[in-house]
Amino acid sequence: MKRLALLLTVGATALAAPQTNSNSLMGIQLSKTGESLSVPMQIVILMTLLTLLPALVMSITPFLRITIVLHFLRQALGTQTVPSNQVMVGISLFLTILIISPVATDMYHQGWEPLQNNTMTASQAFDAGAKPLKAFLVKFAREKDVKLFVEITHSPAPHTPADLELRILIPAYILSELKAGFQIGAVLFLPFLIIDLVVASVTLSIGMVQLPPVMISAPFKILLFVLADGWNLVIGSLMKGFYA
């Protein structure tokens, strides 16, 4: 993740200012040999990274879909705060690292290493390093969402998916992941909703109104989830969806 964030930060800087010298970045000279950034510049990049990293992780990685699905699962079980938000975020983060690591590694080798070796300018390194990210985003972005943002930005129609820009791919990917997360969440709700309906019908038919039906159905939903090995099924399905 550090490699991914470093590459995106340097790439964004390169887009913001055209390069006139292969050894300069935003008008700031690199070291005399051009091999690496100066220490003050590295500190500036790292500080900028700290503010951008949460948004990057939550928006352009599988973290988005995973957190949505886990939230719906917790709501369907009716366990309120179990698992806690910290646990859910932790699970989502480690699963995201597992999925995105190959992409981040490719971006590092194709973009950051040539920049460090002074074989590419920052702009060229960004273009090269963005290719693995584009391939990942294109894989999960729906054509309908891509078309929407192409029309909004009045961009020329791309001949191939590789011609799409990140400013189009990123919001299209976010919309696609939101839809996928909500679809999976709706499917997860159905079996637990049936249990709630059955328990509510039984309790009303026998005149048991002292206890809320939700409180009575909660143990049955948890028991069903445990017997079906729900965590393995849910996490396994999520991971297979990204590796398919």
Side-chain angles (χ1 to χ4, degrees):
M1 292 304 296
K2 180 179 179 181
R3 294 175 178 177
L4 171 62
L6 284 173
L7 181 57
L8 291 177
T9 304
V10 174
T13 305
L15 288 183
Q19 299 298 314
T20 58
N21 189 327
S22 60
N23 292 332
S24 66
L25 188 64
M26 290 185 64
I28 300 176
Q29 294 295 325
L30 302 179
S31 61
K32 293 181 179 180
T33 59
E35 295 179 353
S36 62
L37 297 174
S38 62
V39 174
M41 191 60 189
Q42 293 179 22
I43 295 175
V44 171
I45 292 176
L46 290 176
M47 294 299 293
T48 304
L49 169 65
L50 292 178
T51 61
L52 297 178
L53 185 58
L56 293 175
V57 170
M58 290 186 291
S59 300
I60 61 174
T61 66
F63 186 89
L64 178 61
R65 183 194 301 187
I66 295 172
T67 51
I68 291 174
V69 171
L70 293 182
H71 173 75
F72 274 113
L73 176 62
R74 187 172 66 179
Q75 295 296 317
L77 285 172
T79 54
Q80 302 302 322
T81 58
V82 179
S84 64
N85 291 332
Q86 291 84 350
V87 173
M88 292 179 61
V89 171
I91 294 174
S92 303
L93 183 59
F94 283 108
L95 293 179
T96 298
I97 293 174
L98 180 62
I99 296 170
I100 208 68
S101 288
V103 179
T105 301
D106 290 341
M107 294 179 69
Y108 177 80
H109 291 311
Q110 296 181 28
W112 185 254
E113 280 188 345
L115 180 62
Q116 282 187 319
N117 297 330
N118 201 34
T119 58
M120 288 184 181
T121 64
S123 180
Q124 292 172 339
F126 174 78
D127 293 335
K131 290 180 181 179
L133 179 61
K134 285 184 178 180
F136 175 80
L137 297 179
V138 166
K139 187 176 180 181
F140 299 102
R142 297 187 308 159
E143 182 178 349
K144 183 177 181 181
D145 295 326
V146 172
K147 182 180 179 181
L148 170 65
F149 288 102
V150 169
E151 294 175 351
I152 291 175
T153 58
H154 302 288
S155 301
H159 298 289
T160 63
D163 296 332
L164 290 169
E165 301 177 5
L166 285 177
R167 66 188 180 115
I168 294 174
L169 276 176
I170 290 176
Y173 170 82
I174 293 173
L175 284 186
S176 301
E177 288 297 281
L178 285 173
K179 180 177 181 179
F182 274 76
Q183 287 177 331
I184 298 173
V187 173
L188 286 175
F189 252 105
L190 292 179
F192 301 110
L193 179 61
I194 293 174
I195 294 178
D196 285 332
L197 292 175
V198 171
V199 171
S201 300
V202 171
T203 54
L204 290 176
S205 63
I206 63 177
M208 184 185 297
V209 295
Q210 293 83 1
L211 292 175
V214 176
M215 184 177 296
I216 300 175
S217 63
F220 294 101
K221 292 190 290 187
I222 295 174
L223 182 62
L224 172 65
F225 187 72
V226 172
L227 291 177
D229 198 7
W231 287 113
N232 184 279
L233 292 175
V234 173
I235 300 300
S237 300
L238 282 172
M239 298 297 287
K240 291 175 183 178
F242 285 105
Y243 280 104

